[in-house]
Every structure is written in structure tokens, then in C-alpha cells.
Amino acid sequence: PMLSMNRTTESPWVVLVEDDESLRGQLASALERALPEVEVQRTPDADVALRLVHDSRSRLLITEAQTASVDGLALAACARRERPQLPLIFLADTRTSPSSARVAGLSGSHLIDKPPHLDQFVGLVTRVLEPQPARARASAPRPPGFRGELSTRGMLELVQLGSAGSKAAELKG
């Protein structure tokens, strides 16, 4: 099936867009085991994902940055028009993906190397879904640029991503 949905509950959900069926299943299973209170809506189809993201139960969009069948950056842009604060996690091969620099321009986005280590992936999703104190959300203006987590295997990718399209970059550990 192209889509796994359970609309019978009011549980929050994450939308997982991945065209590789095996990887989609592995990622969804890892999230379902670690976060039983969150449903994983999985699909390889960007149009279906966009409909899911527009539902108020949606808490996170996880998508490939760019493949032959999914333009995750375009999907994220469409999702953000309706849900400007929706967190985004992009899956990309940070060594070869030209999309990495474009991801850096989306505040509240996170980039993780594909295929992700399941423990790192689940940890990132868990941190992204943690509720933020309402006062901090309301009072703290979002600075421009990329803020989020990046999982990569090499320092070169960090330097390239940090310098892409900006005159200054800061990495905090």
C-alpha cells in the first residue's frame, strides 16, 4: 500500500515521505517503537503527504530532500504556506546532494544523512517533537538562517553547508 493511515484517533502524527519502501518501513517501525503515542503516516507520494500535513494532528514532516520522484524542498515550501511553524526533517546524502544548501535556508529544519542510523534518527525526531515552553515560543523571535540539527559523516560537509549562501556561519556542539 502507498499509505498507512489510522484516522480513528486524535493522536498526533508525523508524516514520513520516502520512496524506498524498505527504508520507509524501517524508519516508521523505529519511530512507532520509540514513540508509541505518535502515529506515523507514511507515503511515497508528495500530494498525499501535503494533505496529511494540513491536518491539525500533524506535528512533523520528514521527507527526502530531493529524488527523482520526490522534491522534498517543494513539498516543504507548500506545507509551510499552510503551517509556517511545522518542523521539517530532510533525509539526504549530504556528501552528494545539491539540496543541502537549500535546506539550510529553511528555519526550523533539520538535515540527516541518508540512510540514517536509526538511533540518531529516532533521537532527532524525539527532540523535534519535545514540547517547547509556550512563553519561550511566543517571546523569542526566530533569527534568520538555518537553526536545527545536522547529522553528517564529515567536517567538509559542515563547512560547505555553513558557508552556503551566507557570509558568516557558526557551529555549536
Side-chain angles (χ1 to χ4, degrees):
M2 289 189 50
L3 174 65
S4 168
M5 290 181 52
N6 178 358
R7 292 183 179 254
T8 60
T9 71
E10 292 301 314
S11 297
W13 64 46
V14 300
V15 178
L16 173 62
V17 185
E18 168 60 51
D19 62 357
D20 180 306
E21 186 176 350
S22 175
L23 180 58
R24 187 172 62 240
Q26 289 173 1
L27 297 175
S29 293
L31 291 175
E32 289 164 346
R33 281 190 307 272
L35 303 166
E37 70 283 358
V38 177
E39 293 181 22
V40 179
Q41 307 296 343
R42 48 185 132 167
T43 181
D45 187 287
D47 292 327
V48 172
L50 195 55
R51 286 193 301 271
L52 289 166
V53 163
H54 288 162
D55 188 289
S56 64
R57 292 170 283 186
S58 180
R59 299 292 182 265
L60 168 65
L61 172 62
I62 303 166
T63 184
E64 297 174 277
Q66 187 75 47
T67 67
S69 62
V70 175
D71 182 347
L73 293 160
L75 171 61
C78 289
R80 284 279 181 88
R81 279 189 213 111
E82 176 100 8
R83 307 271 312 276
Q85 302 301 315
L86 183 71
L88 308 168
I89 294 177
F90 291 95
L91 305 167
D93 183 343
T94 57
R95 293 166 291 165
T96 61
S97 175
S99 306
S100 299
R102 290 177 54 205
V103 168
L106 296 169
S107 66
S109 65
H110 307 269
L111 180 64
I112 191 164
D113 213 12
K114 183 179 175 181
H117 296 288
L118 290 181
D119 291 342
Q120 289 177 338
F121 175 71
V122 169
L124 174 58
V125 171
T126 301
R127 287 187 299 280
V128 168
L129 292 176
E130 285 177 350
Q132 301 297 316
R135 190 179 63 184
R137 274 197 316 261
S139 64
R142 279 197 149 153
F146 176 77
R147 298 250 182 234
E149 293 188 34
L150 171 69
S151 174
T152 184
R153 294 182 181 98
M155 183 58 99
L156 180 59
E157 287 85 15
L158 288 174
V159 173
Q160 289 173 337
L161 185 61
S163 64
S166 65
K167 296 179 180 156
E170 179 181 358
L171 298 174
K172 296 180 179 182

